């Protein structure tokens, strides 16, 4: 096939498969920049041979596609004369000049499977070819003009060179003529700015997607050179994108080590949630069969960390967290659907294993730890990066941004700096992060569910002590959590035996015999990780449940009944918990593959919230629930009243003792006058001293601050 015949074929393809874009160009009705989207999937249908030539000989084939575009009218006429099935264009068109604007650009979209290449896979055999990489946009530079073609003038005789293409280098020195065409001397040369061709330039770094990296601890990335106003600013850090382009060598000519970069021809943002998850027909059948089972919630609960015995409420909550609630926009505000959960308690009871299990089960998840993270690493940062031989500001995504649309697991939260914990607040509440540094100003999406775990400062969790005095973290962080679960290591012969049996079972190999669906789940006792990921992705992609009348009545009745327990000093429940119940109810409906939240879903959500209130929100002395204990980690009202009375007694004793209130007198009179147990008085005095509310002017003597 000659080049002329090839261009005629491509022009016929444009007319057949790109008709809307071509008509828009001819009628000048395009938006923004004039472009034509070339679907590689459509091209494979039109001519598999042309597609293969484009993939294997990209640098030779791209000019043919461009020539066919810019000489479209003439090529359609010659294609018609050659007998190709094309329609001749009308003799008259409404605009002067060429049918197709001269600055029209090609976008290569809808890559076929043979175009895709894993970011972490070897690239040597793909250099010089058209490839597509799918991943998370990790870093975006500022956009600046870049010289792609220039003319050099000899400073000795003034002779100008022919235009020189420098689009493949950042160094002008690499493009200087060897000698002047006029005086035949070797320079010196200077650029002629008025004859230069410039394009807007931006650099992206695209990273392997969470859950698909060859090495999760160190995901691979590809540097992408983006040129042209039709391509820049098409993505921001945290976005999941597919970049299509020409893979080129990049490296120092003096080095044997070569890097590769992508010369981008198209940036395709994700349009369908969890687009990366693929379903076979059998997968959907299995998912629908499990969702229709009366034991659905037992199956999804037991699929979370099956090697950990017990903690059934926590496991069910984590499973529902992955299905998620429904985000909605009302009156210009976003109501989050993401569910946030905190595990607090003793070390060595399985918190970290549940977090790791959730990370492996979620279709999209990023993990981080308090021992290896920083506020910048968690959120987003403006950093200087060497681009084109000079330092440029770039915007780099942290873990929360990379987890957008999925889940982030944060272990050992207690080891994070206080400022790092505070940096989580905006992301967990608003689903976005603001960056304002140097000349970089941006708001990035961080719409992810957070599953966090923390150990108490003193090693063991005390259910009778305020959370704020056991865990050093901002009270706002607890306030963002829909559920908080305490974990305690309490010796019990029956429980201990069950834990040991569960651990031993994980070391006993078993062979599945059932083919799939509920039968296989019943045999194993849980849903395997691959199917669970598909189950969650399928439910979130296809179902956005709304509240039924029965579910709204159930939610209102429950909330009002708990709210009635409040008094002037103690609030039993607030609207944040109510909204958490809605999110959990929606997640329950999604797990059933239902578009309607029913009363049973609400009951399931209420059970989880009441479990939390009974474990953490109950005031054991005054009775009733105290929402501040859970949301802010504050002392219960009875604990606070007891401390206030002790402080008042210390003030009274200071009037009698010049050196301050003696410790023994504080204990004796508190027991006598305030009816406080002696064992609790010493603890409360120590707590007041640690918080700075009282001090010791002399040994074992106290005054209030």
């Amino acid at each position: 096939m000659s080049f002329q015949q090839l261009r005629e074929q491509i022009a016929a393809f444009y007319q057949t498969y790109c008709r809307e874009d071509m008509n828009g160009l001819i009628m000048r009705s395009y938006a923004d920049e004039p472009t034509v989207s070339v679907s590689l999937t459509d091209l494979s249908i039109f001519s598999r041979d042309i597609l293969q030539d484009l993939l294997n000989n990209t640098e030779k084939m791209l000019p043919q596609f461009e020539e066919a575009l810019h000489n479209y009218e003439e090529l359609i006429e010659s294609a018609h004369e050659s007998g190709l099935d094309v329609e001749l264009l009308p003799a008259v068109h409404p605009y002067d000049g060429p049918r197709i604007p001269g600055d029209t650009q090609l976008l290569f979209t809808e890559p076929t499977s043979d175009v895709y290449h894993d970011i972490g896979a070897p690239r040597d055999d793909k250099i010089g070819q058209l490839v597509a990489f799918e991943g998370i946009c990790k870093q975006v530079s500022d956009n600046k003009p870049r010289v792609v073609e220039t003319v050099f003038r000899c400073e000795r005789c003034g002779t100008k060179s022919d235009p020189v293409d420098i689009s493949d280098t950042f160094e002008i020195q690499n493009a200087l003529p060897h000698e002047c065409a006029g005086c035949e001397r070797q320079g010196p040369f200077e650029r002629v700015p008025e004859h230069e061709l410039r394009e807007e330039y931006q650099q992206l770094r695209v990273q392997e997607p969470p859950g698909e990296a060859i090495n999760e601890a160190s995901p691979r990335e590809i540097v992408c050179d983006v040129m042209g106003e039709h391509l820049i600013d098409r993505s921001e850090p945290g976005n999941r994108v597919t970049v299509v382009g020409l893979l080129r060598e990049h490296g120092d000519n003096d080095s044997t080590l070569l890097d590769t970069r992508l010369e981008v021809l198209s940036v395709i943002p994700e349009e369908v949630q969890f687009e990366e998850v693929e379903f076979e027909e059998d997968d959907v059948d299995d998912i629908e069969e499990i969702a229709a089972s009366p034991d659905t919630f037992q199956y999804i609960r037991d699929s979370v960390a099956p090697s950990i015995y017990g903690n059934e409420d926590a496991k069910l909550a984590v499973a529902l967290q992955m299905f998620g609630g429904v985000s909605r926009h009302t009156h210009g505000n976003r109501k989050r659907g993401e569910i946030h959960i905190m595990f607090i308690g003793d070390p060595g009871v399985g918190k970290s294993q549940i977090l790791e299990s959730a990370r492996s089960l979620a279709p999209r998840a990023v993990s981080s730890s308090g021992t290896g993270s920083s506020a910048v690493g968690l959120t987003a940062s403006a950093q200087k990066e060497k681009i084109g031989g000079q330092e440029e500001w770039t915007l780099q995504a942290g873990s929360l941004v990379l987890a957008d649309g999925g889940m982030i697991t944060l272990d050992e939260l207690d080891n994070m700096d206080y400022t790092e914990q505070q940096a989580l607040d905006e992301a967990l509440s608003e689903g976005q992060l603001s960056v304002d540094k140097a000349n970089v100003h941006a708001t990035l999406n961080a719409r992810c569910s957070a599953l966090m775990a923390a150990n108490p400062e003193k090693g063991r969790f005390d259910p009778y002590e305020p959370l704020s005095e056991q865990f050093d973290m901002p009270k706002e962080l607890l306030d963002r959590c829909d559920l908080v679960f305490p974990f305690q290591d309490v010796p019990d012969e029956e429980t201990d035996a069950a834990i040991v049996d569960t651990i031993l079972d994980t070391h006993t190999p078993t062979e599945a015999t059932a083919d799939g669906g509920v039968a296989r789940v019943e045999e194993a006792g849980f849903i395997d990780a691959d199917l669970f990921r598909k189950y969650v992705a399928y439910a979130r992609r296809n179902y956005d449940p709304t509240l039924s009348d029965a579910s709204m009545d159930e939610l209102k009745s429950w909330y009002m009944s708990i709210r009635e327990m409040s008094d002037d000093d103690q609030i039993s429940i607030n609207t944040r918990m109510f909204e958490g119940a809605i999110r959990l109810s929606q997640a329950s409906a999604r797990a059933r593959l239902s578009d309607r939240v029913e009363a049973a879903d609400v009951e399931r959500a209420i059970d989880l919230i009441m479990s939390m209130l009974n474990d953490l929100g109950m005031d054991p002395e005054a009775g009733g629930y105290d929402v501040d204990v859970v949301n802010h980690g504050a002392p219960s009202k009875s604990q606070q009243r007891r401390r206030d009375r002790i402080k008042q007694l210390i003030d009274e004793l200071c009037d009698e003792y010049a050196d301050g209130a003696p410790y023994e007198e504080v204990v004796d009179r508190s027991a006598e006058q305030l009816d406080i147990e002696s064992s609790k008085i010493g603890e409360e005095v120590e707590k007041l001293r640690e918080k700075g509310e009282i001090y010791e002017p002399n040994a074992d003597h106290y005054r209030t601050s």
Side-chain angles (χ1 to χ4, degrees):
M1 183 188 301
S2 68
F3 281 141
Q4 175 67 17
Q5 291 172 322
L6 173 62
R7 288 193 287 268
E8 289 174 359
Q9 290 272 5
I10 296 171
F13 168 78
Y14 288 153
Q15 188 176 82
T16 305
Y17 288 92
C18 308
R19 184 178 294 272
E20 185 176 341
D21 283 352
M22 299 304 290
N23 288 340
L25 294 171
I26 293 170
M27 300 302 296
R28 304 297 193 264
S29 60
Y30 50 84
D32 300 325
E33 302 298 320
T35 59
V36 174
S37 294
V38 176
S39 165
L40 296 173
T41 300
D42 287 345
L43 185 59
S44 69
I45 297 169
F46 178 81
S47 172
R48 188 70 191 174
D49 290 340
I50 293 179
L51 175 64
Q52 286 304 316
D53 283 344
L54 176 63
L55 300 187
N56 298 326
N57 302 290
T58 309
E59 290 192 78
K60 291 182 179 179
M61 288 292 288
L62 280 177
Q64 305 306 316
F65 276 81
E66 291 167 356
E67 284 285 327
L69 178 63
H70 295 298
N71 297 292
Y72 178 65
E73 185 174 4
E74 296 85 350
L75 286 167
I76 287 295
E77 288 180 5
S78 62
H80 185 267
E81 292 171 2
S82 300
L84 294 181
D85 185 16
V86 294
E87 300 173 12
L88 289 174
L89 301 178
V92 178
H93 64 95
Y95 295 93
D96 294 332
R99 300 284 182 115
I100 306 301
D103 57 348
T104 302
Q105 300 289 338
L106 291 171
L107 299 174
F108 290 90
T109 63
E110 298 184 347
T112 54
S113 58
D114 47 351
V115 183
Y116 278 104
H117 191 70
D118 291 338
I119 293 175
R123 304 172 193 162
D124 183 59
D125 62 338
K126 295 292 182 180
I127 292 174
Q129 296 184 13
L130 188 74
V131 293
F133 294 106
E134 184 181 22
I136 300 291
C137 187
K138 178 186 177 184
Q139 182 176 294
V140 178
S141 75
D142 193 8
N143 57 288
K144 290 192 173 182
R146 176 182 173 183
V147 178
V148 294
E149 184 179 281
T150 190
V151 170
F152 293 100
R153 178 168 49 215
C154 176
E155 293 185 32
R156 293 180 184 273
C157 69
T159 301
K160 296 177 184 177
S161 71
D162 292 331
V164 180
D165 182 359
I166 56 173
S167 60
D168 59 348
T169 181
F170 285 100
E171 304 293 337
I172 293 291
Q173 289 296 118
N174 295 339
L176 289 173
H178 179 65
E179 63 179 27
C180 174
C183 64
E184 297 184 350
R185 296 187 182 184
Q186 295 180 348
F189 300 98
E190 63 179 356
R191 285 164 43 209
V192 186
E194 59 267 27
H195 293 305
E196 286 183 341
L197 178 63
R198 297 181 176 91
E199 286 188 354
E200 286 295 306
Y201 172 82
Q202 191 173 53
Q203 187 182 94
L204 308 180
R205 287 182 182 268
V206 178
Q207 178 180 291
E208 288 178 293
E212 299 176 31
I214 295 173
N215 179 2
E216 286 285 353
S218 181
R220 310 282 179 85
E221 60 185 38
I222 180 79
V223 177
C224 304
D225 294 321
V226 182
M227 284 193 291
E229 292 185 14
H230 66 295
L231 289 177
I232 64 166
D233 294 332
R234 291 296 185 266
S235 182
E236 60 184 27
N239 288 170
R240 193 175 185 107
V241 296
T242 296
V243 282
V244 182
L246 177 60
L247 192 66
R248 292 190 181 275
E249 288 183 0
H250 179 80
D252 190 336
N253 290 334
D254 297 327
S255 174
T256 58
L257 293 176
L258 295 176
D259 198 0
T260 53
R261 296 169 82 132
L262 190 72
E263 183 181 304
V264 175
L265 299 173
S266 188
V267 179
I268 309 167
E270 179 189 56
E271 295 181 354
V272 179
Q273 191 176 34
F274 300 118
E275 193 173 39
E276 69 275 15
V277 181
E278 298 179 354
F279 303 95
E280 302 291 339
E281 188 175 339
D282 289 346
D283 293 330
V284 176
D285 291 341
D286 288 346
I287 289 167
E288 291 177 345
E289 187 179 348
I290 293 168
S293 167
D295 299 316
T296 299
F297 293 93
Q298 177 185 327
Y299 295 149
I300 65 171
R301 178 198 68 199
D302 293 345
S303 300
V304 177
S307 62
I308 301 296
Y309 174 79
N311 301 303
E312 292 182 348
D313 284 345
K315 289 183 180 183
L316 177 58
V318 170
L320 293 179
Q321 180 184 34
M322 284 183 262
F323 286 95
V326 180
S327 298
R328 300 197 188 281
H329 290 82
T330 56
H331 307 295
N333 295 318
R334 178 180 182 269
K335 287 286 186 181
R336 68 175 170 94
E338 298 82 33
I339 297 168
H340 304 316
I341 298 175
M342 174 86 76
F343 292 163
I344 55 175
D346 297 342
V349 291
K351 300 191 301 296
S352 297
Q353 286 174 270
I354 296 177
L355 262 65
E356 176 57 28
S357 175
R359 188 200 62 77
S360 67
L361 289 172
R364 186 178 299 171
V366 173
S367 61
S368 187
S369 172
T371 55
S373 64
S374 64
V376 168
L378 271 177
T379 55
S381 63
Q383 298 183 355
K384 279 202 167 183
E385 186 88 5
K386 193 170 184 179
I387 299 174
Q390 57 185 355
E391 296 286 331
E392 300 286 354
W393 285 105
T394 64
L395 188 59
Q396 182 157 321
S399 299
L400 285 161
V401 178
L402 294 174
D404 180 49
M407 167 186 277
I408 185 168
T409 61
L410 295 165
D411 203 1
E412 299 183 358
L413 200 66
D414 48 295
N415 288 330
M416 281 186 188
D417 289 340
Y418 197 79
T419 54
E420 295 162 18
Q421 296 172 347
Q422 285 182 313
L424 292 171
D425 183 58
E426 183 185 5
L428 299 192
S429 60
E430 303 296 331
Q432 61 184 27
L433 291 164
S434 301
V435 179
D436 192 353
K437 181 179 179 182
N439 64 339
V440 178
H441 312 280
T443 300
L444 304 178
N445 287 325
R447 300 159 299 185
C448 57
S449 297
L451 177 59
M452 300 166 281
N455 295 322
E457 286 184 306
K458 296 182 179 179
R460 293 289 172 185
F461 175 67
D462 186 343
Y464 302 106
E465 288 295 318
L467 298 181
S468 60
E469 295 173 7
Q470 299 187 69
F471 300 91
D472 185 18
M473 65 178 70
K475 64 180 182 180
E476 295 87 355
L477 205 53
L478 277 174
D479 202 19
R480 302 302 175 201
C481 294
D482 298 287
L483 292 169
V484 181
F485 289 99
F487 282 66
Q488 280 188 276
D489 187 3
V490 180
D492 178 83
E493 184 176 354
E494 185 177 339
T495 302
D496 292 342
I499 291 171
V500 170
D501 289 341
T502 303
I503 294 171
L504 290 173
D505 284 344
T506 64
H507 291 273
T508 305
T510 57
E511 188 172 336
T513 58
D515 291 334
V518 171
R520 180 152 188 162
V521 173
E522 286 177 344
E523 182 180 315
F526 55 87
I527 307 167
D528 71 78
D530 183 58
L531 183 58
F532 194 98
R533 277 191 294 273
K534 293 176 179 179
Y535 186 177
V536 172
Y538 182 79
R540 292 187 62 168
R541 188 186 292 182
N542 295 290
Y543 295 92
D544 288 330
T546 56
L547 296 170
S548 65
D549 291 341
S551 65
M552 287 191 284
D553 291 343
E554 185 81 17
L555 280 164
K556 183 177 180 180
S557 174
W558 163 72
Y559 179 77
M560 296 305 296
S561 65
I562 303 298
R563 186 76 176 173
E564 287 174 358
M565 300 179 186
S566 305
D567 56 35
D568 292 340
D569 295 327
Q570 186 168 300
I571 303 300
S572 57
I573 195 169
N574 59 18
T575 53
R576 283 197 173 176
M577 283 189 177
F578 182 69
E579 290 180 338
I582 294 174
R583 286 188 281 270
L584 289 164
S585 301
Q586 292 167 336
S588 174
R590 263 192 175 149
R592 295 189 295 105
L593 304 185
S594 173
D595 283 319
R596 298 286 284 174
V597 176
E598 302 298 345
D601 299 308
V602 173
E603 290 169 7
R604 192 168 289 111
I606 289 173
D607 286 345
L608 291 172
I609 291 179
M610 293 307 299
S611 173
M612 173 183 68
L613 284 173
N614 287 325
D615 287 341
L616 295 173
M618 178 68 75
D619 188 334
E621 296 175 37
Y625 300 114
D626 190 342
V627 73
D628 290 339
V629 176
V630 179
N631 284 352
H632 302 144
S636 66
K637 293 300 182 288
S638 58
Q639 287 175 317
Q640 191 58 54
R641 281 193 291 268
R642 184 165 63 238
R643 291 177 184 181
D644 291 342
R645 292 164 73 186
I646 291 174
K647 286 168 62 179
Q648 183 181 358
L649 180 60
I650 289 174
D651 284 336
E652 293 172 0
L653 287 170
C654 285
D655 293 336
E656 301 177 27
Y657 296 91
D659 292 338
Y663 175 73
E664 291 184 0
E665 280 294 315
V666 173
V667 173
D668 290 344
R669 293 202 191 183
S670 295
E672 177 185 341
Q673 298 179 15
L674 308 179
D675 194 26
I676 302 175
E677 295 177 19
S678 299
S679 60
K680 289 186 178 179
I681 297 169
E683 294 175 7
E684 298 295 6
V685 168
E686 181 60 23
K687 291 293 182 187
L688 289 169
R689 190 188 66 78
E690 288 177 358
K691 294 179 69 177
E693 295 186 35
I694 63 174
Y695 67 99
E696 285 184 274
N698 298 290
D700 292 332
H701 288 70
Y702 295 93
R703 288 185 182 276
T704 57
S705 300

